[in-house]
Amino acid sequence: MSDEKTRTVTDATCTFCGCVCDDMILTVDVEQHRITKSQNACVLGKAWFKEHGIEKRPFALVDGREASTEEGIEAAARILAEARYPVIYGLSDTTCEAQRVAVSIADMIGGMIDTTTSVCHGPSGIAFQGLGESTASLGEIKSRADLVIFWGGNPAEAHPRLFTRYAVTPKGMHVPNGKKDRTIVLVDVRRTASTPVADIFIQVKPRTDFEVLWALRALVKGRKIDPSIEQKTGVPLAVLEDLAQRMKSCNFGALLFGMGLTMNRGRHFNAGALLALATDLNQFTHFVAAPVRGHGNVTGADNVVSWQTGFPFGINFARGYPRFNPGEWTAADLLARGEADAALIIASDPASNFSKPAIEHLHRIPVITLDPKATLTSQLSRVAFTTATYGISVPGTVYRMDNVPIALRPAFESPYPSDEYVLTGIRERVRALLGGNRAPAGTPLAASVT
């Protein structure tokens, strides 16, 4: 660390949300190990930087007593090596390097691995597998899109800089006047803080997104729609016809959709209908579709898990190879049924948002957590590690919501280890306990150690 009282870090990255803005200018209080000012950050980013200083906490807690990181690694490794049906969950707020190690642990112990995608944009991932994706980087949308449609989301409150840096107000190569050269459409079940930004607001009845999207597909293909569509969806036929014509006649269109589309009746069918609509529109113009992602590196988790297993989330290694089945091997469902006998939670807090049966089961089994802060999940854990915050104290790689990898530039060092360090220690100790071999499913430690 420098002896100076303050230091400026330029081109730093905010890992709060999926926008992963990499143009931060941070003023760091070197003595206090805190960020005192964050230029270019939105209100959410400023809170993120302000709340992640260095807090004095135990390096690890094992059965409620303070322990060193190494003692925690030993205890965690024994729990995982002895488990018959362990689950690894989280991963969306850590680096890609740590995510890779987590996948290798799941493979080694014959367990399940799941990410927070399964409880947010999981339906989108299933739709991508079935229909593919016509997509673009946020930079392309900024430079080229003259029609941007936000469907089932509220970026003004959840992703403020998606509007100001990428998709609404910024000037681009082919939209030199910014918002004046764009038409912004917002589709939602109610008015939100994002509504005033829209040139056109279309309010649909709850749980009728699929019908609206299918009607738009028909109109794009020149089919006739019965005016009674308004009774079903709440959207007049004339409004749908106007939107279909705008989509066909734009130069570059973008459909950006949120969980309001994927987490209601229809789920992956809704996402599939939207992706199919983008495909239909590419017969007339250039159109792309992409989900608006929440956590800072949830897209990285999808990428890392996919390139190592072939599937994005909810994966079972019990037979020695990856199998994918949402609903059976996704963490929320697995825990709710009381099936897992150990859990490794990385940068997530399922005890604050999973169902009551799932949380009750977490209380019954040994849980290992890695997190910079105390959470409800860490409080019920057998082993709880304090780790450094990625992006603020840990370098590495994350993926923006448009699948663009971003390198992190930390603001200050942390006395606590990174998630990657702890997970690597756990993996190597598990390998030693298992005699260097992969544990067959259901094999107790005593039978697997040579």
Side-chain angles (χ1 to χ4, degrees):
M1 299 294 291
S2 172
D3 292 332
E4 60 187 353
K5 293 184 177 180
T6 62
R7 181 173 66 243
T8 299
V9 179
T10 59
D11 300 321
T13 301
C14 174
T15 52
F16 176 80
C17 80
C19 287
V20 191
C21 298
D22 57 350
D23 61 342
M24 301 292 110
I25 302 174
L26 307 177
T27 301
V28 181
D29 185 322
V30 175
E31 294 179 346
Q32 295 296 320
H33 293 179
R34 289 193 175 277
I35 296 169
T36 58
K37 187 177 181 181
S38 48
Q39 292 177 249
N40 297 334
C42 67
V43 62
L44 300 176
K46 288 179 179 178
W48 170 260
F49 287 120
K50 184 178 180 180
E51 292 173 1
H52 283 83
I54 301 299
E55 296 181 2
K56 192 172 182 180
R57 294 183 57 210
F59 281 85
L61 291 173
V62 178
D63 290 322
R65 64 172 180 82
E66 292 190 16
S68 67
T69 299
E70 287 66 31
E71 289 173 319
I73 287 173
E74 176 67 25
R78 287 196 166 272
I79 289 171
L80 294 175
E82 294 174 352
R84 297 172 62 87
Y85 207 53
V87 61
I88 299 174
Y89 175 76
L91 300 173
S92 297
D93 277 318
T94 191
T95 63
C96 293
E97 291 78 6
Q99 293 163 353
R100 292 184 66 177
V101 181
V103 176
S104 65
I105 293 174
D107 185 17
M108 183 183 299
I109 62 179
M112 277 72 59
I113 188 164
D114 188 28
T115 75
T116 58
T117 292
S118 65
V119 294
C120 58
H121 269 287
S124 304
I126 297 172
F128 295 151
Q129 290 181 321
L131 288 98
E133 182 183 13
S134 173
T135 189
S137 70
L138 291 176
E140 289 178 276
I141 293 172
K142 170 187 174 180
S143 295
R144 299 176 181 275
D146 58 339
L147 175 63
V148 182
I149 302 171
F150 295 94
W151 199 301
N154 181 16
E157 293 185 317
H159 303 80
R161 295 197 82 201
L162 185 60
F163 281 171
T164 59
R165 191 180 186 210
Y166 297 113
V168 176
T169 58
K171 298 177 181 180
M173 181 183 300
H174 299 282
V175 279
N177 298 310
K179 190 175 186 300
K180 293 180 181 179
D181 289 337
R182 294 188 180 94
T183 299
I184 307 300
V185 181
L186 185 68
V187 184
D188 210 335
V189 297
R190 64 182 182 277
R191 291 183 174 273
T192 66
S194 299
T195 306
V197 175
D199 300 300
I200 300 171
F201 174 64
I202 299 176
Q203 186 167 352
V204 302
K205 288 184 179 178
R207 300 161 62 89
T208 63
D209 297 271
F210 182 86
E211 288 81 356
V212 174
L213 287 163
W214 220 250
L216 286 171
R217 289 194 68 198
L219 290 169
V220 165
K221 293 184 175 184
R223 306 292 176 81
K224 292 185 178 180
I225 298 294
D226 193 295
S228 64
I229 186 73
E230 182 177 0
Q231 298 175 8
K232 174 66 177 176
T233 65
V235 184
L237 177 58
V239 172
L240 294 176
E241 290 174 336
D242 175 70
L243 180 58
Q245 186 56 41
R246 288 176 183 271
M247 290 191 293
K248 291 171 66 175
S249 61
C250 72
N251 294 317
F252 187 117
L255 280 159
L256 302 177
F257 60 101
M259 289 172 56
L261 177 69
T262 60
M263 283 300 175
N264 67 51
R265 185 179 69 93
R267 293 184 179 261
H268 63 282
F269 290 105
N270 294 340
L274 185 140
L275 296 174
L277 174 60
T279 299
D280 296 339
L281 287 164
N282 275 290
Q283 298 178 23
F284 305 94
T285 184
H286 188 73
F287 232 93
V288 299
V292 177
R293 306 306 302 273
H295 294 279
N297 199 25
V298 64
T299 303
D302 290 352
N303 276 274
V304 171
V305 176
S306 294
W307 80 51
Q308 292 202 315
T309 71
F311 307 107
F313 61 91
I315 299 143
N316 184 309
F317 282 100
R319 290 185 180 175
Y321 56 87
R323 292 181 294 158
F324 174 63
N325 195 11
E328 182 178 6
W329 298 319
T330 39
D333 306 285
L334 192 75
L335 292 168
R337 294 193 302 268
E339 294 178 358
D341 64 346
L344 171 58
I345 310 298
I346 304 161
S348 185
D349 188 19
S352 69
N353 51 56
F354 272 15
S355 66
K356 184 178 179 181
I359 295 171
E360 289 175 346
H361 189 63
L362 283 172
H363 282 274
R364 292 193 291 266
I365 63 175
V367 176
I368 305 157
T369 58
L370 283 71
D371 208 292
K373 291 184 172 290
T375 64
L376 291 176
T377 306
S378 68
Q379 291 171 16
L380 61 82
S381 297
R382 179 81 59 83
V383 182
F385 293 95
T386 300
T387 54
T389 305
Y390 77 134
I392 292 180
S393 299
V394 177
T397 309
V398 298
Y399 276 72
R400 203 166 61 193
M401 67 171 73
D402 57 353
N403 294 295
V404 172
I406 306 290
L408 301 177
R409 298 189 65 186
F412 51 80
E413 296 176 1
S414 171
Y416 302 108
S418 66
D419 293 328
E420 181 187 8
Y421 177 90
V422 174
L423 291 171
T424 300
I426 292 173
R427 180 185 63 186
E428 298 311 309
R429 187 59 187 136
V430 168
R431 179 180 284 119
L433 290 170
L434 296 177
N437 299 314
R438 184 186 178 281
T443 303
L445 177 60
S448 61
V449 175
T450 57

